[in-house]
Amino acid sequence: MAEDILHEVTQSEYKYGFTTEIETDIIPIGLDENVVRLISAKKNEPEWMLDYRLNAFRKWKEMKMPEWAHLKIPEIDYQSISYYAAPRTNGPKSLDEVDPELLNTFNKLGIPLEEQMALSGIAVDAVMDSVSVKTTFKETLAEKGIIFCSFSDAVEHHPDLIQKYMSSVVPVTDNFFAALNSAVFSDGSFVYIPKGVRCPMELSTYFRINAVNTGQFERTLIVADEDSYVSYLEGCTAPSRDENQLHAAIVEIVLMKNAEVKYSTVQNWYPGDKNGSGGVYNFVTKRAICKGENSKVSWTQVETGSAITWKYPSCILQGDNSSAEFYSVAVTNHHQQADTGTKMIHLGRNTRSHILSKGISAGVSNNSYRGLVRVGAKAENARNFSQCDSLLLSDKCGAHTFPYMEVNNETAIVEHEATTSKISEDQIFYCNQRGISTEDAVGLIVNGYAKEVLNKLPMEFAVEAQKLLQITLEGSVG
Amino acid sequence: MLEIKNLHANIDGKEILKGLSLEVRPGEIHAIMGPNGAGKSTLASVLTGHPSFEVTHGEVSFHGKDLLELAPEERANEGIFLSFQYPVEIPGVSMVNFMRTAINEQRKYRGQDPISATDFLRLMREKKELVEMDNKLTNRSVNEGFSGGEKKRNEIFQMAMLDPKLSILDETDSGLDIDALRIVANGVNKLKRPDNATIVITHYQRLLDYIVPDFVHVLYDGRIVKTGDKNLALELEEKGYDWIKQEVGSI
């Protein structure tokens, strides 16, 4: 009976599934050295950038796709994807020059690019397919010495910073997808917060895949200098298409002494339809390094989209007294698969990490938490606390937890707790008896379950994320 | 207000209610007593639409509407409230959020706008006093970590908030000490009005010292076999249920 109720609650449509009719500059499908050269040429890149790409490409060809994740990944034909697609616009743009159709697209997604209309206190870099469409509030931020621009702009205008920090956290050969990204990445965002500056507004990048048969390969690099602070948000959507789309991104964060970075993601790539057809393959490498002492990084993610998610936002705690947090809500419904978690690598003394993972599985989906806590020999007094909870909404879905611990210092304290629960028929009926419909009851219960994580999101995002959880699970109670 | 005619209901294919009839008019308090397994809690579940029970025969009308046609939340929004025998815990959902959602659902059902924050807080304060509820409890998650007595008090608090036309108290006295019992009963009495009604389901006469019924019904083997005034409850307390069983058996 409870199963019947649960089944009723998840049949809503993906509301960002529209496509934008816009002239697109798209290169033919396939991948070889010439394609890498073509991408670099299209972006007018300097030679060092091309060399970097070619090196990555050669390394990638020798690498194999990782197979250890608890995922069934259909074979991906890397020669059937186009590696560059750009809406036809002319270079760096004032708003008047941006195609109205593009503005319209981002308006529809709730991301107005007109600064006077923009969400107060949030600067946006809007990326469609392979290029950045518009970065807002650039000038306001520049007054404080903050650099916030597209990655391409940064390669052109801040080559020293890019050369110094790119791949310093995620090496080119870190993994198969990182190597692929390094070879063909098209755009993304670059952030530099100078010494002693608290970024006065939330920075955000909004990623949108539009073109057919393309992959999106963006990279983000955030450098927070000594005593600085920034909160960064990332949102993602894609049209509903029958074929799968590939998204392989890299995010690198570097934190100097006393710096603090909060990185929040609401990932809502197209998850595919109810029968598991279509959807984005989301293979992402995100890593931060707390280089300086007392630095602090916090990853918060709400993962509701993508057909397949492979993602482990991680942290290397190098500086003494540095700390890291990982807060995650991952929802899978229908045929979605997620293998997500984090890695906390404790190297410095008195380093602390906290992991809170909340998985929610519905339909016939599979949801895995995978986490590694490693304490190095010199990490005196390292502390970790991990909590992994799973909530099951159907009896055909799967929830799995794969915690790994490697402790090489006897003063370290590493703790792990895990729970699994179901929404009970009694809970639903109790809500019903108070006048609350089953659908709203599931939303209420799921949001209650995820509350500790949602509370970590910036206000505007938290409200969106709550709605998103509810929509994702509509028709899933079962 | 409520008219039940010849109600039959099953759970897992087993018939529990076997032709139950009952009429409740506005302003009345009805007590339903009976031995274990007679079908008392089943009656509460069936009236509120619990999905585990199947009605096989009979009619229930509530203010002229066919109650059995309505979904559980519609019945609630029509003004039927159940004080659960075993209130359910909902981790992470604050009482405040839960109550506001419930009140707004009810208002939506009645074509009213959502309640303002000020009005809601005023209502909360007022009703908390009525059941002597601690602020601490309303700040916690729904029933999570509440003691047995706190859970029951929380049920009456919700009843006060939602202001139902018909309240069904399912063994609200079980697990209560005498002080909690008095507080709960006081709450119920204060909420009594000429236009609402209460069905009190209980094992023991004890609660009826505080909530004085207009009618006492004995439920046995899925039917109401005897109806009297409050003195019937005293008689049951004194003599037990065996004599009723014998009476029924001899018919």
Side-chain angles (χ1 to χ4, degrees):
Chain A
M1 282 270 193
E3 282 73 22
D4 294 346
I5 305 170
L6 286 170
H7 274 135
E8 282 166 28
V9 195
T10 37
Q11 313 302 332
S12 118
E13 299 297 315
Y14 182 70
K15 83 184 215 212
Y16 305 99
F18 64 90
T19 54
T20 307
E21 292 302 324
I22 190 160
E23 222 187 309
T24 303
D25 175 12
I26 183 162
I27 65 173
I29 59 169
L31 182 55
D32 56 21
E33 283 205 9
N34 289 331
V35 169
V36 175
R37 286 176 196 279
L38 182 61
I39 293 170
S40 188
K42 280 200 176 285
K43 304 184 79 67
N44 292 321
E45 285 176 352
E47 191 144 351
W48 59 265
M49 197 68 244
L50 175 63
D51 290 344
Y52 170 93
R53 287 177 183 277
L54 288 172
N55 169 49
F57 179 70
R58 286 167 199 147
K59 297 274 169 54
W60 175 71
K61 279 202 299 188
E62 292 159 14
M63 297 173 80
K64 282 213 162 59
M65 213 167 109
E67 278 168 358
W68 41 261
H70 190 76
L71 298 169
K72 283 192 190 115
I73 307 175
E75 193 160 341
I76 298 170
D77 180 359
Y78 292 91
Q79 297 304 333
S80 71
I81 298 168
S82 167
Y83 288 83
Y84 185 86
R88 258 189 233 285
T89 52
N90 306 318
K93 34 261 121 173
S94 81
L95 201 59
D96 307 342
E97 296 167 53
V98 177
D99 190 315
E101 195 58 36
L102 280 178
L103 292 183
N104 209 356
T105 299
F106 283 97
N107 274 334
K108 251 162 123 176
L109 297 169
I111 316 287
L113 299 178
E114 294 91 339
E115 290 186 1
Q116 63 277 21
M117 286 173 59
L119 300 167
S120 56
I122 302 184
V124 180
D125 183 21
V127 177
M128 172 107 108
D129 295 328
S130 303
V131 294
S132 166
V133 172
K134 169 76 188 159
T135 308
T136 61
F137 294 108
K138 235 165 141 172
E139 290 75 21
T140 319
L141 294 167
E143 285 166 21
K144 293 207 164 230
I146 296 167
I147 304 171
F148 178 44
C149 64
S150 72
F151 207 88
S152 312
D153 278 0
V155 169
E156 191 180 341
H157 301 292
H158 309 284
D160 46 331
L161 288 170
I162 297 293
Q163 279 175 291
K164 184 167 177 192
Y165 292 111
M166 182 170 64
S167 294
S168 70
V169 195
V170 179
V172 169
T173 52
D174 187 81
N175 66 72
F176 180 82
F177 299 113
L180 177 63
N181 175 289
S182 300
V184 302
F185 78 91
S186 38
D187 219 329
S189 305
F190 174 70
V191 175
Y192 174 78
I193 314 287
K195 273 185 195 171
V197 171
R198 274 188 78 86
C199 186
M201 54 176 74
E202 308 268 354
L203 302 186
S204 75
T205 304
Y206 196 90
F207 294 106
R208 172 81 178 165
I209 302 179
N210 187 55
V212 191
N213 284 328
T214 52
Q216 191 176 49
F217 306 92
E218 86 277 357
R219 55 191 308 150
T220 300
L221 174 59
I222 299 173
V223 180
D225 217 327
E226 290 179 12
D227 301 297
S228 70
Y229 167 83
V230 65
S231 166
Y232 190 90
L233 320 171
E234 175 202 288
C236 335
T237 59
S240 310
R241 297 195 186 280
D242 293 338
E243 65 278 5
N244 297 103
Q245 284 175 300
L246 179 60
H247 172 255
I250 292 181
V251 176
E252 296 179 280
I253 305 179
V254 181
L255 297 97
M256 304 305 181
K257 196 173 146 189
N258 298 325
E260 184 179 351
V261 175
K262 288 172 84 160
Y263 192 104
S264 313
T265 306
V266 174
Q267 185 266 105
N268 189 22
W269 294 118
Y270 178 55
D273 68 11
K274 280 170 218 159
N275 306 313
S277 151
V280 171
Y281 294 162
N282 189 35
F283 302 123
V284 175
T285 308
K286 293 183 168 183
R287 196 173 301 152
I289 182 162
C290 289
K291 270 181 122 70
E293 56 191 67
N294 297 315
S295 53
K296 184 179 176 193
V297 67
S298 160
W299 296 104
T300 305
Q301 59 172 15
V302 176
E303 303 278 316
T304 61
S306 297
I308 301 177
T309 297
W310 180 98
K311 179 181 171 189
Y312 316 91
S314 304
C315 190
I316 300 165
L317 294 151
Q318 188 182 53
D320 291 346
N321 307 312
S322 60
S323 64
E325 294 165 343
F326 173 76
Y327 301 109
S328 170
V329 176
V331 187
T332 53
N333 194 4
H334 304 307
H335 291 264
Q336 282 178 277
Q337 306 177 62
D339 192 299
T340 184
T342 185
K343 287 190 275 188
M344 296 293 182
I345 313 295
H346 292 256
L347 301 178
R349 281 174 299 168
N350 304 315
T351 47
R352 294 172 306 281
S353 64
H354 184 195
I355 297 170
L356 176 60
S357 163
K358 298 262 182 184
I360 301 164
S361 339
V364 291
S365 67
N366 254 305
N367 200 330
S368 306
Y369 166 81
R370 185 181 303 276
L372 167 68
V373 176
R374 179 183 291 153
V375 178
K378 292 176 185 163
E380 296 285 320
N381 299 314
R383 295 277 182 280
N384 163 267
F385 178 72
S386 306
Q387 184 171 346
C388 304
D389 297 332
S390 305
L391 183 68
L392 302 172
L393 301 192
S394 85
D395 50 15
K396 297 186 188 70
C397 59
H400 316 270
T401 305
F402 304 99
Y404 305 86
M405 288 174 198
E406 297 170 22
V407 181
N408 300 308
N409 183 304
E410 59 185 16
T411 61
I413 300 177
V414 175
E415 292 170 272
H416 179 90
E417 278 180 16
T419 68
T420 302
S421 51
K422 275 193 86 159
I423 292 186
S424 69
E425 182 177 325
D426 286 343
Q427 285 175 323
I428 302 241
F429 181 68
Y430 191 75
C431 294
N432 287 159
Q433 213 300 307
R434 299 303 184 245
I436 302 167
S437 70
T438 299
E439 204 159 295
D440 291 343
V442 171
L444 202 63
I445 295 166
V446 166
N447 276 306
Y449 166 79
K451 191 164 75 178
E452 281 169 272
V453 174
L454 298 179
N455 283 347
K456 302 290 177 186
L457 288 171
M459 190 63 168
E460 298 83 354
F461 253 39
V463 176
E464 278 306 306
Q466 275 186 18
K467 285 188 208 148
L468 195 57
L469 282 190
Q470 191 150 352
I471 291 168
T472 307
L473 290 171
E474 266 171 28
S476 71
V477 187
Chain B
M1 169 183 277
L2 178 76
E3 217 172 325
I4 305 172
K5 283 186 195 157
N6 194 25
L7 186 64
H8 292 252
N10 293 346
I11 184 166
D12 299 332
K14 185 173 180 250
E15 187 167 59
I16 307 287
L17 298 184
K18 303 171 181 173
L20 185 147
S21 298
L22 177 68
E23 192 183 349
V24 178
R25 284 175 296 259
E28 293 178 349
I29 295 179
H30 290 247
I32 295 185
M33 302 181 73
N36 281 333
K40 301 190 298 292
S41 287
T42 298
L43 176 63
S45 297
V46 168
L47 290 178
T48 49
H50 194 288
S52 297
F53 294 87
E54 187 196 359
V55 173
T56 51
H57 196 75
E59 292 164 30
V60 181
S61 80
F62 182 64
H63 283 289
K65 286 193 181 161
D66 181 356
L67 196 68
L68 301 177
E69 286 297 306
L70 301 178
E73 61 271 26
E74 292 170 324
R75 300 183 196 197
N77 288 326
E78 286 288 337
I80 293 183
F81 180 91
L82 172 61
S83 168
F84 282 70
Q85 182 177 3
Y86 303 108
V88 180
E89 299 187 3
I90 311 179
V93 177
S94 71
M95 268 313 292
V96 174
N97 192 13
F98 183 70
M99 248 15 287
R100 191 167 40 213
T101 307
I103 287 210
N104 283 335
E105 286 299 312
Q106 189 186 70
R107 292 176 68 94
K108 191 163 85 189
Y109 187 82
R110 294 171 188 174
Q112 295 164 319
D113 290 333
I115 191 167
S116 74
T118 336
D119 287 351
F120 178 73
L121 291 176
R122 189 183 308 130
L123 192 66
M124 285 277 285
R125 200 164 47 233
E126 199 179 297
K127 304 303 181 188
K128 266 189 291 200
E129 277 169 24
L130 194 80
V131 287
E132 302 176 33
M133 263 281 269
D134 211 308
N135 273 330
K136 275 194 306 229
L137 292 186
T138 48
N139 289 334
R140 296 227 301 256
S141 297
V142 179
N143 292 321
E144 198 183 26
F146 286 30
S147 71
E150 286 168 343
K151 282 182 181 170
K152 293 301 173 75
R153 211 184 290 185
N154 191 22
E155 293 293 290
I156 305 305
F157 165 67
Q158 294 177 51
M159 172 177 151
M161 289 293 287
L162 293 167
D163 191 23
K165 292 178 187 142
L166 174 67
S167 304
I168 304 165
L169 311 184
D170 188 7
E171 309 257 357
T172 297
D173 49 340
S174 68
L176 288 188
D177 61 34
I178 203 76
D179 292 326
L181 186 70
R182 184 186 47 76
I183 292 168
V184 164
N186 269 342
V188 173
N189 287 330
K190 282 184 204 157
L191 294 169
K192 183 176 188 293
R193 286 197 312 254
D195 63 340
N196 63 19
T198 308
I199 296 175
V200 184
I201 294 171
T202 181
H203 242 60
Y204 306 104
Q205 193 273 336
R206 189 176 74 150
L207 178 65
L208 304 180
D209 285 339
Y210 298 94
I211 303 173
V212 182
D214 301 297
F215 300 95
V216 174
H217 309 277
V218 179
L219 183 58
Y220 175 65
D221 196 22
R223 271 179 297 253
I224 286 174
V225 294
K226 198 171 185 66
T227 295
D229 60 13
K230 60 181 182 190
N231 294 316
L232 177 57
L234 294 169
E235 200 177 345
L236 288 169
E237 184 80 358
E238 192 183 321
K239 300 204 275 191
Y241 289 107
D242 282 348
W243 64 282
I244 302 258
K245 291 179 189 171
Q246 276 160 19
E247 254 186 45
V248 174
S250 67
I251 296 168

